[in-house]
Coordinates of all heavy atoms in Angstrom, one line a residue:
Chain M
D186 N 130.7 91.5 102.9 CA 130.7 92.9 102.5 C 130.7 93.1 101.0 O 130.8 94.2 100.5 CB 131.9 93.6 103.0 CG 131.9 93.6 104.6 OD1 130.8 93.2 105.1 OD2 132.9 93.9 105.2
S188 N 128.7 92.8 97.5 CA 127.4 92.6 96.8 C 127.7 92.3 95.4 O 128.2 93.1 94.6 CB 126.6 93.9 96.9 OG 125.3 93.7 96.4
K190 N 127.7 91.5 91.6 CA 127.0 92.0 90.3 C 126.8 90.9 89.4 O 125.8 90.8 88.7 CB 127.9 93.1 89.6 CG 127.7 94.5 90.1 CD 128.4 95.5 89.3 CE 128.6 96.8 90.1 NZ 129.6 97.7 89.5
Chain N
L149 N 122.1 93.1 93.0 CA 122.5 93.7 91.7 C 122.1 92.9 90.5 O 121.8 93.4 89.4 CB 124.0 94.1 91.8 CG 124.3 95.1 92.9 CD1 125.9 95.3 92.9 CD2 123.6 96.4 92.7
A247 N 125.8 92.8 102.4 CA 126.0 93.8 101.4 C 124.8 93.8 100.4 O 124.3 94.8 100.0 CB 127.3 93.7 100.7
F250 N 121.6 95.1 101.9 CA 121.6 96.6 101.8 C 121.1 97.1 100.5 O 120.3 98.0 100.3 CB 122.9 97.2 102.2 CG 122.9 98.7 102.3 CD1 122.7 99.3 103.5 CD2 123.2 99.5 101.1 CE1 122.7 100.7 103.5 CE2 123.2 100.8 101.2 CZ 122.9 101.5 102.4
D251 N 121.7 96.5 99.4 CA 121.4 96.9 98.1 C 120.0 96.6 97.7 O 119.3 97.3 97.0 CB 122.3 96.2 97.1 CG 123.7 96.8 97.1 OD1 123.9 98.0 97.6 OD2 124.7 96.2 96.7
V254 N 117.9 99.4 99.2 CA 118.0 100.6 98.4 C 117.2 100.5 97.0 O 116.6 101.4 96.6 CB 119.5 100.9 98.1 CG1 119.7 102.0 97.1 CG2 120.2 101.3 99.4
L289 N 120.4 105.2 108.8 CA 121.7 105.5 108.1 C 121.4 106.3 106.8 O 122.1 107.2 106.5 CB 122.5 104.3 107.8 CG 123.1 103.6 109.0 CD1 123.7 102.2 108.7 CD2 124.2 104.4 109.6
L290 N 120.4 105.9 106.1 CA 120.1 106.6 104.8 C 119.5 108.0 105.1 O 119.8 108.9 104.3 CB 119.1 105.7 104.0 CG 119.6 104.5 103.4 CD1 118.5 103.6 102.8 CD2 120.6 104.8 102.2
Y293 N 122.8 110.0 106.2 CA 123.8 110.3 105.2 C 123.1 110.5 103.8 O 122.4 109.7 103.4 CB 124.8 109.2 105.0 CG 125.6 109.0 106.3 CD1 125.3 107.9 107.1 CD2 126.6 109.8 106.7 CE1 126.0 107.6 108.3 CE2 127.3 109.6 107.9 CZ 127.0 108.5 108.7 OH 127.6 108.3 109.9
D294 N 123.4 111.7 103.2 CA 122.8 111.9 101.9 C 123.4 110.9 100.9 O 122.7 110.5 99.9 CB 123.2 113.3 101.4 CG 122.2 114.3 101.9 OD1 121.1 113.9 102.3 OD2 122.5 115.5 102.1
D295 N 124.6 110.5 101.1 CA 125.3 109.6 100.2 C 125.0 108.1 100.5 O 125.3 107.7 101.6 CB 126.8 109.9 100.3 CG 127.6 109.1 99.4 OD1 127.1 108.2 98.7 OD2 128.9 109.3 99.4
T296 N 124.4 107.4 99.6 CA 124.0 106.0 99.9 C 125.3 105.2 100.2 O 125.2 104.3 101.0 CB 123.3 105.4 98.7 OG1 122.2 106.2 98.3 CG2 122.8 104.0 99.0
E297 N 126.3 105.5 99.5 CA 127.6 104.7 99.7 C 128.1 104.8 101.1 O 128.6 103.9 101.7 CB 128.6 105.1 98.7 CG 128.5 104.5 97.3 CD 128.3 103.0 97.4 OE1 129.1 102.2 98.0 OE2 127.2 102.5 96.8
K298 N 127.9 106.0 101.6 CA 128.4 106.3 103.0 C 127.6 105.5 104.0 O 128.1 104.9 104.9 CB 128.4 107.8 103.3 CG 129.4 108.2 104.3 CD 129.7 109.7 104.2 CE 131.0 109.9 105.0 NZ 131.4 111.3 105.0
A299 N 126.3 105.5 103.7 CA 125.3 104.7 104.6 C 125.7 103.3 104.5 O 125.7 102.6 105.6 CB 123.9 105.0 104.1
R300 N 126.0 102.8 103.3 CA 126.3 101.4 103.1 C 127.6 101.1 103.9 O 127.7 100.0 104.5 CB 126.6 101.2 101.6 CG 126.6 99.9 101.1 CD 126.6 99.9 99.6 NE 126.6 98.7 99.0 CZ 127.6 97.8 98.9 NH1 128.8 98.1 99.3 NH2 127.4 96.6 98.3
E301 N 128.6 102.0 103.8 CA 129.9 101.8 104.5 C 129.7 101.6 106.0 O 130.2 100.7 106.6 CB 130.7 103.0 104.2 CG 132.2 102.8 104.4 CD 133.0 104.1 104.2 OE1 132.8 104.8 103.2 OE2 133.7 104.5 105.2
F302 N 128.8 102.4 106.5 CA 128.6 102.3 108.0 C 127.8 101.0 108.3 O 128.1 100.4 109.3 CB 127.8 103.5 108.5 CG 128.7 104.6 108.9 CD1 129.1 105.6 107.9 CD2 129.3 104.7 110.1 CE1 130.0 106.6 108.3 CE2 130.2 105.7 110.5 CZ 130.5 106.7 109.5
F303 N 126.8 100.7 107.5 CA 126.0 99.5 107.7 C 126.9 98.3 107.7 O 126.8 97.4 108.6 CB 124.9 99.4 106.6 CG 124.1 98.1 106.8 CD1 123.2 98.0 107.8 CD2 124.2 97.1 105.9 CE1 122.5 96.8 108.0 CE2 123.4 95.9 106.0 CZ 122.6 95.8 107.1
L304 N 127.9 98.2 106.8 CA 128.7 97.0 106.7 C 129.7 96.9 107.9 O 130.2 95.9 108.2 CB 129.5 97.0 105.3 CG 128.6 96.9 104.1 CD1 129.4 96.9 102.8 CD2 127.8 95.6 104.1
K305 N 130.0 98.1 108.5 CA 130.9 98.0 109.6 C 130.2 97.6 110.9 O 130.9 97.1 111.9 CB 131.5 99.4 109.9 CG 132.6 99.8 108.9 CD 133.2 101.1 109.3 CE 134.2 101.6 108.2 NZ 134.3 103.0 108.1

Side-chain angles (χ1 to χ4, degrees):
Chain M
D186 299 348
S188 185
K190 273 187 199 164
Chain N
L149 299 178
F250 183 91
D251 286 339
V254 168
L289 288 170
L290 287 169
Y293 300 103
D294 277 335
D295 182 356
T296 309
E297 277 314 303
K298 210 156 190 176
R300 195 172 185 280
E301 199 185 306
F302 273 92
F303 177 70
L304 294 180
K305 280 188 188 147

